[in-house]
Amino acid sequence: MATQDVTPLDVERIRADFPILEREIDGQQLVYLDNAATSQTPERVIDAISDYYREYNANVHRGIHQLSQEASIAYEEAHDRVAEFVGADGREEIVFTGNTTEAMNTVGYAWGLNELGPGDEVVLTEMEHHASLVTWQQIAKLTGAECKYIPITDEGYLDMEAAAELITDDTEMVSVVHVSNTLGTVNPVSELADIAHDHDSLIFVDGAQSVPHQPVDVEAMDCDFFAFSGHKMCGPTGIGALYGKEHILEEMEPYSYGGDMILKVTFEDSQWNELPWKFEAGTPNIADGIAFAEACDYLDDIGLERIHRHGQQLAEYAYDRLTEWDDVEVYGPPGDDRAGLVAFNLETTHAHDLSSILNDYAVAIRAGDHCTQPLHDVLGTAASARASFYLYNTREEVDALVEAIDEARQLFA
Ligand code: PMP
């Protein structure tokens, strides 16, 4: 991807869009570096939510009164907007879910329970988030299928030779994280899609950490399913999306039943609604769905290439500064080949203690296993600290992080 020539972000202007960045913690300016967990929300996305509740709050699809029609149009068009954002054909291919995890479970239950059986294999990676790992592990248990894991190299890349051996004609699903939320590795998902399709397997890509930070085109990638969350891309919590190729979603049975997802119901049987509504049972998350589309507009107005480059530069800078110290271990690929996050450990200090000390300096990072416990087993540690960057972060904030870490190093030396 050509990211070298993009115009740098005007970060000061961008910061003004996010009211929360004005916050102080105990009199100190907040330094928010926990964006891989949840990003902050710009004013216009907050407005989209409050406009809905102030002006046209009503249930969708059902009413023919004015408010319901306005809400229905906005909610349905939000699907088109989100589809466009990731290069899908249209609303038929975008199911709104609560988050990435629910998108995973939708495919696990709706596709996996029906399609998998003894002798079938699901191939995942050692760097999967629990959202996909636990889902496929449990669906495999229910169906008698088996999960296999593509190992990672010492540098935190996928071992593609092993991948080529693990994906066979027994493979029914390859489920791979696009960007690792712990290692910052960007995985070669198109290549994996080719390997999967050569063996007549489907491929599910977890895009929770890619969609917020880089241009994504699901058609060019040729994945069969793709999942992401609104709250990591300047949108609200409680909304996410499942992309699925139309012909696959068409053939899939829904697993959640009730109102809105049906076309006709008798005492004996029911017929399903058209896509994507057959997978959205009950009253959906209307306000957040509409605001999700607003977040797409916001990110597109700034430009995903520019956001991508900015995150990479901050991560590289953080990587370079942290690796100056011998008592710090940074996980994952080299600084110039990673997404906008850095997970690390100090020799002397547990990640939780470090995070707590950093909080005293108003620096918000994450400590723990980042929902990748098996990956942490491979890395030989139970937990790590993680700083993750977004479009409103600055080099000065990386400096604040590094200075606060240095204080912790000296405290525990
Ligand atoms: N996959 C990855 C790579 C993630 O980073 C996350 C969020 N930490 C998820 C899946 C799950 O996202 P959500 O909690 O929004 O379902």
Side-chain angles (χ1 to χ4, degrees), residues 17 59 101 105 138 147 164 290 307 323 330 369 371-372 392 405:
D17 296 335
N59 213 323
T101 307
N105 277 273
Q138 295 306 312
C147 288
I290 294 166
I307 293 170
T323 49
V330 182
D369 56 46
C371 296
T372 54
Y392 36 70
I405 294 172

mmCIF file with all atom_site columns, all heavy atoms in Angstrom, residues 17 59 101 105 138 147 164 290 307 323 330 369 371-372 392 405:
data_model
loop_
_atom_site.group_PDB
_atom_site.id
_atom_site.type_symbol
_atom_site.label_atom_id
_atom_site.label_alt_id
_atom_site.label_comp_id
_atom_site.label_asym_id
_atom_site.label_entity_id
_atom_site.label_seq_id
_atom_site.pdbx_PDB_ins_code
_atom_site.Cartn_x
_atom_site.Cartn_y
_atom_site.Cartn_z
_atom_site.occupancy
_atom_site.B_iso_or_equiv
_atom_site.pdbx_formal_charge
_atom_site.auth_seq_id
_atom_site.auth_comp_id
_atom_site.auth_asym_id
_atom_site.auth_atom_id
_atom_site.pdbx_PDB_model_num
ATOM 1   N N   . ASP A 1 17  ? -12.087 18.037  17.377 1.00 0.00 ? 17  ASP A N   1
ATOM 2   C CA  . ASP A 1 17  ? -13.346 17.320  17.108 1.00 0.00 ? 17  ASP A CA  1
ATOM 3   C C   . ASP A 1 17  ? -13.757 16.408  18.255 1.00 0.00 ? 17  ASP A C   1
ATOM 4   O O   . ASP A 1 17  ? -14.872 15.882  18.266 1.00 0.00 ? 17  ASP A O   1
ATOM 5   C CB  . ASP A 1 17  ? -13.203 16.444  15.841 1.00 0.00 ? 17  ASP A CB  1
ATOM 6   C CG  . ASP A 1 17  ? -12.961 17.270  14.591 1.00 0.00 ? 17  ASP A CG  1
ATOM 7   O OD1 . ASP A 1 17  ? -13.356 18.439  14.580 1.00 0.00 ? 17  ASP A OD1 1
ATOM 8   O OD2 . ASP A 1 17  ? -12.375 16.723  13.635 1.00 0.00 ? 17  ASP A OD2 1
ATOM 9   N N   . ASN A 1 59  ? -39.434 3.246   15.933 1.00 0.00 ? 59  ASN A N   1
ATOM 10  C CA  . ASN A 1 59  ? -38.979 1.930   15.483 1.00 0.00 ? 59  ASN A CA  1
ATOM 11  C C   . ASN A 1 59  ? -38.918 1.888   13.952 1.00 0.00 ? 59  ASN A C   1
ATOM 12  O O   . ASN A 1 59  ? -39.663 2.584   13.266 1.00 0.00 ? 59  ASN A O   1
ATOM 13  C CB  . ASN A 1 59  ? -39.890 0.824   16.025 1.00 0.00 ? 59  ASN A CB  1
ATOM 14  C CG  . ASN A 1 59  ? -39.098 -0.441  16.291 1.00 0.00 ? 59  ASN A CG  1
ATOM 15  O OD1 . ASN A 1 59  ? -38.173 -0.769  15.541 1.00 0.00 ? 59  ASN A OD1 1
ATOM 16  N ND2 . ASN A 1 59  ? -39.439 -1.143  17.350 1.00 0.00 ? 59  ASN A ND2 1
ATOM 17  N N   . THR A 1 101 ? -17.495 -9.447  17.959 1.00 0.00 ? 101 THR A N   1
ATOM 18  C CA  . THR A 1 101 ? -17.726 -10.738 18.616 1.00 0.00 ? 101 THR A CA  1
ATOM 19  C C   . THR A 1 101 ? -19.074 -11.324 18.184 1.00 0.00 ? 101 THR A C   1
ATOM 20  O O   . THR A 1 101 ? -19.178 -12.521 17.891 1.00 0.00 ? 101 THR A O   1
ATOM 21  C CB  . THR A 1 101 ? -17.703 -10.549 20.151 1.00 0.00 ? 101 THR A CB  1
ATOM 22  O OG1 . THR A 1 101 ? -16.484 -9.893  20.488 1.00 0.00 ? 101 THR A OG1 1
ATOM 23  C CG2 . THR A 1 101 ? -17.817 -11.864 20.874 1.00 0.00 ? 101 THR A CG2 1
ATOM 24  N N   . ASN A 1 105 ? -19.943 -14.825 16.205 1.00 0.00 ? 105 ASN A N   1
ATOM 25  C CA  . ASN A 1 105 ? -20.900 -15.822 16.709 1.00 0.00 ? 105 ASN A CA  1
ATOM 26  C C   . ASN A 1 105 ? -22.025 -16.063 15.710 1.00 0.00 ? 105 ASN A C   1
ATOM 27  O O   . ASN A 1 105 ? -22.534 -17.176 15.602 1.00 0.00 ? 105 ASN A O   1
ATOM 28  C CB  . ASN A 1 105 ? -21.448 -15.396 18.077 1.00 0.00 ? 105 ASN A CB  1
ATOM 29  C CG  . ASN A 1 105 ? -20.502 -15.773 19.194 1.00 0.00 ? 105 ASN A CG  1
ATOM 30  O OD1 . ASN A 1 105 ? -20.563 -16.879 19.715 1.00 0.00 ? 105 ASN A OD1 1
ATOM 31  N ND2 . ASN A 1 105 ? -19.585 -14.888 19.531 1.00 0.00 ? 105 ASN A ND2 1
ATOM 32  N N   . GLN A 1 138 ? -15.542 -23.578 20.347 1.00 0.00 ? 138 GLN A N   1
ATOM 33  C CA  . GLN A 1 138 ? -16.787 -24.123 20.911 1.00 0.00 ? 138 GLN A CA  1
ATOM 34  C C   . GLN A 1 138 ? -17.696 -24.687 19.814 1.00 0.00 ? 138 GLN A C   1
ATOM 35  O O   . GLN A 1 138 ? -18.356 -25.709 20.003 1.00 0.00 ? 138 GLN A O   1
ATOM 36  C CB  . GLN A 1 138 ? -17.520 -23.052 21.729 1.00 0.00 ? 138 GLN A CB  1
ATOM 37  C CG  . GLN A 1 138 ? -16.744 -22.614 22.967 1.00 0.00 ? 138 GLN A CG  1
ATOM 38  C CD  . GLN A 1 138 ? -16.356 -23.790 23.870 1.00 0.00 ? 138 GLN A CD  1
ATOM 39  O OE1 . GLN A 1 138 ? -17.165 -24.655 24.204 1.00 0.00 ? 138 GLN A OE1 1
ATOM 40  N NE2 . GLN A 1 138 ? -15.078 -23.842 24.262 1.00 0.00 ? 138 GLN A NE2 1
ATOM 41  N N   . CYS A 1 147 ? -10.066 -27.719 15.396 1.00 0.00 ? 147 CYS A N   1
ATOM 42  C CA  . CYS A 1 147 ? -9.389  -26.443 15.134 1.00 0.00 ? 147 CYS A CA  1
ATOM 43  C C   . CYS A 1 147 ? -7.890  -26.665 15.037 1.00 0.00 ? 147 CYS A C   1
ATOM 44  O O   . CYS A 1 147 ? -7.313  -27.409 15.834 1.00 0.00 ? 147 CYS A O   1
ATOM 45  C CB  . CYS A 1 147 ? -9.656  -25.452 16.273 1.00 0.00 ? 147 CYS A CB  1
ATOM 46  S SG  . CYS A 1 147 ? -11.330 -24.821 16.281 1.00 0.00 ? 147 CYS A SG  1
ATOM 47  N N   . ALA A 1 164 ? 0.360   -23.045 4.524  1.00 0.00 ? 164 ALA A N   1
ATOM 48  C CA  . ALA A 1 164 ? 0.114   -23.784 3.278  1.00 0.00 ? 164 ALA A CA  1
ATOM 49  C C   . ALA A 1 164 ? -0.045  -25.280 3.556  1.00 0.00 ? 164 ALA A C   1
ATOM 50  O O   . ALA A 1 164 ? -0.735  -25.983 2.816  1.00 0.00 ? 164 ALA A O   1
ATOM 51  C CB  . ALA A 1 164 ? 1.245   -23.523 2.299  1.00 0.00 ? 164 ALA A CB  1
ATOM 52  N N   . ILE A 1 290 ? -27.036 4.381   12.882 1.00 0.00 ? 290 ILE A N   1
ATOM 53  C CA  . ILE A 1 290 ? -26.983 5.623   12.106 1.00 0.00 ? 290 ILE A CA  1
ATOM 54  C C   . ILE A 1 290 ? -25.668 6.368   12.389 1.00 0.00 ? 290 ILE A C   1
ATOM 55  O O   . ILE A 1 290 ? -24.997 6.870   11.476 1.00 0.00 ? 290 ILE A O   1
ATOM 56  C CB  . ILE A 1 290 ? -28.212 6.498   12.439 1.00 0.00 ? 290 ILE A CB  1
ATOM 57  C CG1 . ILE A 1 290 ? -29.493 5.801   11.944 1.00 0.00 ? 290 ILE A CG1 1
ATOM 58  C CG2 . ILE A 1 290 ? -28.080 7.894   11.842 1.00 0.00 ? 290 ILE A CG2 1
ATOM 59  C CD1 . ILE A 1 290 ? -30.783 6.381   12.498 1.00 0.00 ? 290 ILE A CD1 1
ATOM 60  N N   . ILE A 1 307 ? -4.643  8.466   7.910  1.00 0.00 ? 307 ILE A N   1
ATOM 61  C CA  . ILE A 1 307 ? -4.788  7.940   9.275  1.00 0.00 ? 307 ILE A CA  1
ATOM 62  C C   . ILE A 1 307 ? -3.837  6.758   9.468  1.00 0.00 ? 307 ILE A C   1
ATOM 63  O O   . ILE A 1 307 ? -3.165  6.620   10.495 1.00 0.00 ? 307 ILE A O   1
ATOM 64  C CB  . ILE A 1 307 ? -6.253  7.529   9.523  1.00 0.00 ? 307 ILE A CB  1
ATOM 65  C CG1 . ILE A 1 307 ? -7.154  8.766   9.518  1.00 0.00 ? 307 ILE A CG1 1
ATOM 66  C CG2 . ILE A 1 307 ? -6.401  6.740   10.816 1.00 0.00 ? 307 ILE A CG2 1
ATOM 67  C CD1 . ILE A 1 307 ? -8.646  8.471   9.514  1.00 0.00 ? 307 ILE A CD1 1
ATOM 68  N N   . THR A 1 323 ? 12.574  0.305   22.510 1.00 0.00 ? 323 THR A N   1
ATOM 69  C CA  . THR A 1 323 ? 13.630  -0.700  22.310 1.00 0.00 ? 323 THR A CA  1
ATOM 70  C C   . THR A 1 323 ? 15.022  -0.122  22.587 1.00 0.00 ? 323 THR A C   1
ATOM 71  O O   . THR A 1 323 ? 16.012  -0.839  22.517 1.00 0.00 ? 323 THR A O   1
ATOM 72  C CB  . THR A 1 323 ? 13.580  -1.296  20.878 1.00 0.00 ? 323 THR A CB  1
ATOM 73  O OG1 . THR A 1 323 ? 13.496  -0.227  19.926 1.00 0.00 ? 323 THR A OG1 1
ATOM 74  C CG2 . THR A 1 323 ? 12.396  -2.225  20.701 1.00 0.00 ? 323 THR A CG2 1
ATOM 75  N N   . VAL A 1 330 ? 9.581   -5.688  23.489 1.00 0.00 ? 330 VAL A N   1
ATOM 76  C CA  . VAL A 1 330 ? 8.441   -5.296  22.656 1.00 0.00 ? 330 VAL A CA  1
ATOM 77  C C   . VAL A 1 330 ? 8.077   -6.498  21.785 1.00 0.00 ? 330 VAL A C   1
ATOM 78  O O   . VAL A 1 330 ? 8.949   -7.118  21.182 1.00 0.00 ? 330 VAL A O   1
ATOM 79  C CB  . VAL A 1 330 ? 8.794   -4.081  21.760 1.00 0.00 ? 330 VAL A CB  1
ATOM 80  C CG1 . VAL A 1 330 ? 7.573   -3.671  20.933 1.00 0.00 ? 330 VAL A CG1 1
ATOM 81  C CG2 . VAL A 1 330 ? 9.260   -2.909  22.608 1.00 0.00 ? 330 VAL A CG2 1
ATOM 82  N N   . ASP A 1 369 ? -4.128  -9.539  28.985 1.00 0.00 ? 369 ASP A N   1
ATOM 83  C CA  . ASP A 1 369 ? -3.826  -10.465 27.883 1.00 0.00 ? 369 ASP A CA  1
ATOM 84  C C   . ASP A 1 369 ? -4.460  -9.999  26.567 1.00 0.00 ? 369 ASP A C   1
ATOM 85  O O   . ASP A 1 369 ? -4.312  -10.641 25.540 1.00 0.00 ? 369 ASP A O   1
ATOM 86  C CB  . ASP A 1 369 ? -4.275  -11.887 28.228 1.00 0.00 ? 369 ASP A CB  1
ATOM 87  C CG  . ASP A 1 369 ? -5.749  -11.945 28.589 1.00 0.00 ? 369 ASP A CG  1
ATOM 88  O OD1 . ASP A 1 369 ? -6.564  -11.347 27.863 1.00 0.00 ? 369 ASP A OD1 1
ATOM 89  O OD2 . ASP A 1 369 ? -6.096  -12.578 29.598 1.00 0.00 ? 369 ASP A OD2 1
ATOM 90  N N   . CYS A 1 371 ? -7.294  -10.218 25.433 1.00 0.00 ? 371 CYS A N   1
ATOM 91  C CA  . CYS A 1 371 ? -8.131  -11.274 24.843 1.00 0.00 ? 371 CYS A CA  1
ATOM 92  C C   . CYS A 1 371 ? -7.343  -12.143 23.862 1.00 0.00 ? 371 CYS A C   1
ATOM 93  O O   . CYS A 1 371 ? -7.882  -12.606 22.850 1.00 0.00 ? 371 CYS A O   1
ATOM 94  C CB  . CYS A 1 371 ? -9.371  -10.703 24.150 1.00 0.00 ? 371 CYS A CB  1
ATOM 95  S SG  . CYS A 1 371 ? -10.498 -9.892  25.269 1.00 0.00 ? 371 CYS A SG  1
ATOM 96  N N   . THR A 1 372 ? -6.063  -12.326 24.171 1.00 0.00 ? 372 THR A N   1
ATOM 97  C CA  . THR A 1 372 ? -5.249  -13.254 23.373 1.00 0.00 ? 372 THR A CA  1
ATOM 98  C C   . THR A 1 372 ? -4.415  -14.096 24.352 1.00 0.00 ? 372 THR A C   1
ATOM 99  O O   . THR A 1 372 ? -3.186  -14.038 24.332 1.00 0.00 ? 372 THR A O   1
ATOM 100 C CB  . THR A 1 372 ? -4.307  -12.509 22.388 1.00 0.00 ? 372 THR A CB  1
ATOM 101 O OG1 . THR A 1 372 ? -3.527  -11.559 23.129 1.00 0.00 ? 372 THR A OG1 1
ATOM 102 C CG2 . THR A 1 372 ? -5.069  -11.787 21.296 1.00 0.00 ? 372 THR A CG2 1
ATOM 103 N N   . TYR A 1 392 ? -5.808  11.111  16.548 1.00 0.00 ? 392 TYR A N   1
ATOM 104 C CA  . TYR A 1 392 ? -5.662  12.330  17.359 1.00 0.00 ? 392 TYR A CA  1
ATOM 105 C C   . TYR A 1 392 ? -4.447  12.283  18.278 1.00 0.00 ? 392 TYR A C   1
ATOM 106 O O   . TYR A 1 392 ? -4.245  13.190  19.067 1.00 0.00 ? 392 TYR A O   1
ATOM 107 C CB  . TYR A 1 392 ? -6.932  12.568  18.192 1.00 0.00 ? 392 TYR A CB  1
ATOM 108 C CG  . TYR A 1 392 ? -7.578  11.293  18.704 1.00 0.00 ? 392 TYR A CG  1
ATOM 109 C CD1 . TYR A 1 392 ? -6.971  10.528  19.690 1.00 0.00 ? 392 TYR A CD1 1
ATOM 110 C CD2 . TYR A 1 392 ? -8.781  10.854  18.170 1.00 0.00 ? 392 TYR A CD2 1
ATOM 111 C CE1 . TYR A 1 392 ? -7.556  9.357   20.143 1.00 0.00 ? 392 TYR A CE1 1
ATOM 112 C CE2 . TYR A 1 392 ? -9.377  9.688   18.619 1.00 0.00 ? 392 TYR A CE2 1
ATOM 113 C CZ  . TYR A 1 392 ? -8.750  8.942   19.608 1.00 0.00 ? 392 TYR A CZ  1
ATOM 114 O OH  . TYR A 1 392 ? -9.324  7.786   20.046 1.00 0.00 ? 392 TYR A OH  1
ATOM 115 N N   . ILE A 1 405 ? 6.886   5.716   31.647 1.00 0.00 ? 405 ILE A N   1
ATOM 116 C CA  . ILE A 1 405 ? 7.451   4.359   31.773 1.00 0.00 ? 405 ILE A CA  1
ATOM 117 C C   . ILE A 1 405 ? 8.817   4.436   32.444 1.00 0.00 ? 405 ILE A C   1
ATOM 118 O O   . ILE A 1 405 ? 9.162   3.614   33.295 1.00 0.00 ? 405 ILE A O   1
ATOM 119 C CB  . ILE A 1 405 ? 7.571   3.673   30.383 1.00 0.00 ? 405 ILE A CB  1
ATOM 120 C CG1 . ILE A 1 405 ? 6.187   3.425   29.784 1.00 0.00 ? 405 ILE A CG1 1
ATOM 121 C CG2 . ILE A 1 405 ? 8.338   2.357   30.487 1.00 0.00 ? 405 ILE A CG2 1
ATOM 122 C CD1 . ILE A 1 405 ? 6.199   2.924   28.345 1.00 0.00 ? 405 ILE A CD1 1
#
